[in-house]
Amino acid sequence: MNPESELSMSRDLLDPATSTASKRAAELEELLIDAEADDEQAQQRHPLVRRPWLLLLGLILVALNLRPALSSMAPLLSEVSKSLGLSAAQAGLLTTLPVLCLGLFAPLAPVLARRFGAERVVLGILLTLAGGIVLRSAFGQVGLFAGSILAGASIGVIGVLLPGIVKRDFAKQAGAMTGVYTMALCLGAAMAAGATVPLSEHLGHNWALGLGFWVVPALLAAVFWLPQVGEKHGAHQVAYRVRGLLRDPLAWQVTLYMGLQSSLAYIVFGWLPSILIGRGLTPTQAGLVLSGSVIVQLISSLAAPWLATRGKDQRLAIVIVMVMTLGGLFGCLYAPIDGLWGWAILLGLGQGATFSLALTLIVLRSRDAHVAANLSSMAQGFGYTLASLGPFAVGVVHDLTGGWNALGWIFGLIGLGAIIAGIGAGRALYVGVSSERVTDRS
C-alpha cells in the first residue's frame, strides 16, 4: 500500500460519520490483509510481473490446497477410526491438531517471509504440506497424527502469506482478487469433502490412498509456483510497530468472534459427515452434503461484507448470520433427514457470512493497514487456538455419551459466545492503538 492510500484510508476510518458507501466498499478491498504490512521495504517493492496469467494460476492452485487436508479427513473419519482403533476422543484430537497448528504457526509466517522472501516460503511450505499428507496416509497411527500436525502448520503459514502476495502483485484488482481467493478456498474444501470417499472406493476401498491423493494437487501447485521464486531480498530496516493490542478489549472481542465462529466451522469440517453417517447416510452421501454446504458459502462470503456495511455498524448482521449458522447446525443434527439439504444450505450461507464478517471486522476496527496486519495476526493466532477446542470437545462428548444428541449444547454455547463477542466487536469503534515507525530493527 502506498502512503497516499494509507492516509486516505486513515482519514476515512477516523471520521466514520462522513464515510460514504463507496468508501466503505473501497475499505473492504483490504480484506486480503498483508502479513508484511508493518514492513515498509516490503510494501515499496513492486516486482515486474512478466507473466501475470502464470502468477494468477499459481495463486489459485495454492489457495485450492489450503482446505483439502482439513476437509478430506471428515468423510473417512469413521473408517479411519475403525481401521486404527481410535476412540472418539482420539478422533477429536485428530480433527483438533490441524486447527491448533493454524493458530500456533500463523505468527511464524511474516518472520519467515522477511528472512527468505514470501515466494520462497510458499514454495517450501507447499512441499511440507505434501509431506504431511503423505505422512498421515502411509505411516499408521503415528504418521496420521504427525502428518496432521505438519499439514495444519503448513496451511497456517501459507494462509497468512498468500493474501499479501495477492495484494502486492494485483493491487489494482484487490476487490476482484478477494473473490477469486475466496472461491478457490471454498472450491478446494468442497472438492476434497465430496471426492475423497469415491476416490478411496475407486482405489480398492483404501482410505489411505483416498487421503494420500491430495498430495497430487499440492505438488502440482508447487510446480506452477516455482517460476515465482526469485532472488532473496536483503534485510529490512524500516518497520512499523503496534503496541498495546493485547490490552485492548475491542481487539479481544474481534479475536473471540474470529475464534468462536471458526470453532463451529472446523466442527463442521471435522465432524459433520460422521454426524450424518450416524443418522443413516452413507459416507459418500455425507461427504456430498458437506461439499454442497461449503460451495454455498461462496455466495454469502462475497455478499456479507458488502451488506454488513450498509448500516451504522455490524452488530445486527453478526446476530443474523450466527442464528442462520446455528439453525443449520441444529437442523442437520435434529431435523427429519428428508429436509437435510435445506439445512445444509442454510448452514453454508450462515458460515460463509460469519467468516467473511470476521475478516471485515479486522479491517473496519483498524485505523490503518499496520494495525490491521497486527490485529489479523492476533485474531488468527489466538482465535484458531481457541477454535481447536471445539472439534476436540465434540469427540470427548461423543465418547462419553455414545451418540450425537448432546452436541446441541456445544453448538449452542459456542454460538452464544460468538454472538456476545460479535455484538461487542460489531460496534462502530476502533481499537485503541496506533502504529509508529521504527527505523532500527536490530
Side-chain angles (χ1 to χ4, degrees), residues 255-256 259-260 263 381-390:
T255 298
L256 287 174
L260 291 170
S263 186
F382 289 101
Y384 286 139
T385 301
L386 172 64
S388 68
L389 299 178

Side-chain angles (χ1 to χ4, degrees), residues 92-174:
L93 182 61
L94 185 62
T95 61
T96 295
L97 286 174
V99 184
L100 179 62
C101 290
L102 292 180
L104 294 180
F105 286 85
L108 186 61
V111 177
L112 291 173
R114 289 166 194 149
R115 177 68 177 85
F116 301 104
E119 289 81 4
R120 285 188 173 186
V121 174
V122 169
L123 178 62
I125 299 298
L126 276 173
L127 297 178
T128 65
L129 173 61
I133 293 171
V134 172
L135 188 61
R136 73 172 186 171
S137 61
F139 292 93
Q141 185 170 324
V142 173
L144 186 68
F145 284 92
S148 297
I149 292 173
L150 187 58
S154 301
I155 294 169
V157 172
I158 295 178
V160 172
L161 291 180
L162 201 62
I165 296 174
V166 172
K167 282 184 64 178
R168 186 196 65 201
D169 293 336
F170 292 96
K172 295 182 179 180
Q173 299 86 25

Side-chain angles (χ1 to χ4, degrees), residues 184-442:
L185 287 177
C186 292
L187 182 59
M191 287 170 53
T196 300
V197 173
L199 280 170
S200 66
E201 293 176 349
H202 181 72
L203 297 171
H205 294 273
N206 189 321
W207 63 262
L209 292 178
L211 290 178
F213 169 83
W214 299 104
V215 72
V216 175
L219 292 176
L220 184 66
V223 169
F224 278 89
W225 189 255
L226 187 61
Q228 309 307 325
V229 178
E231 296 296 324
K232 186 176 85 67
H233 300 282
H236 299 169
Q237 299 298 322
V238 181
Y240 285 82
R241 178 169 55 204
V242 175
R243 290 178 172 176
L245 205 56
L246 294 178
R247 298 189 298 272
D248 189 274
L250 181 57
W252 279 109
Q253 289 167 341
V254 172
T255 298
L256 287 174
Y257 177 71
M258 168 66 86
L260 291 170
Q261 66 83 26
S262 294
S263 186
L264 291 177
Y266 288 109
I267 286 174
V268 170
F269 273 141
W271 286 105
L272 182 61
S274 296
I275 293 171
L276 298 179
I277 291 169
R279 299 199 63 194
L281 271 65
T282 67
T284 299
Q285 290 172 330
L288 288 174
V289 171
L290 174 59
S291 177
S293 183
V294 173
I295 282 290
V296 170
Q297 290 184 19
L298 179 62
I299 300 172
S300 55
S301 66
L302 295 177
W306 184 84
L307 292 173
T309 54
R310 301 305 96 186
K312 63 179 182 179
D313 59 37
Q314 290 72 50
R315 287 178 292 182
L316 179 60
I318 287 169
V319 172
I320 291 173
V321 300
M322 189 53 63
V323 168
M324 290 172 61
T325 298
L326 289 174
L329 282 169
F330 283 119
C332 289
L333 186 58
Y334 298 122
I337 205 71
D338 291 343
L340 177 62
W341 273 103
W343 295 114
I345 290 172
L346 179 64
L347 174 62
L349 291 173
Q351 289 202 308
T354 58
F355 176 67
S356 60
L357 281 181
L359 297 181
T360 304
L361 291 176
I362 293 173
V363 175
L364 297 182
R365 300 293 86 89
S366 303
R367 294 187 183 277
D368 59 45
H370 310 299
V371 174
N374 283 268
L375 181 57
S376 176
S377 179
M378 175 180 172
Q380 290 187 71
F382 289 101
Y384 286 139
T385 301
L386 172 64
S388 68
L389 299 178
F392 182 67
V394 169
V396 171
V397 169
H398 179 57
D399 218 10
L400 292 174
T401 64
W404 302 107
N405 286 338
L407 298 187
W409 288 100
I410 296 178
F411 298 159
L413 289 173
I414 295 175
L416 179 61
I419 289 173
I420 293 172
I423 289 175
R427 295 171 296 164
L429 302 173
Y430 303 98
V431 293
V433 300
S434 58
S435 58
E436 58 182 16
R437 180 166 172 162
V438 181
T439 55
D440 184 7
R441 301 189 62 180
S442 57

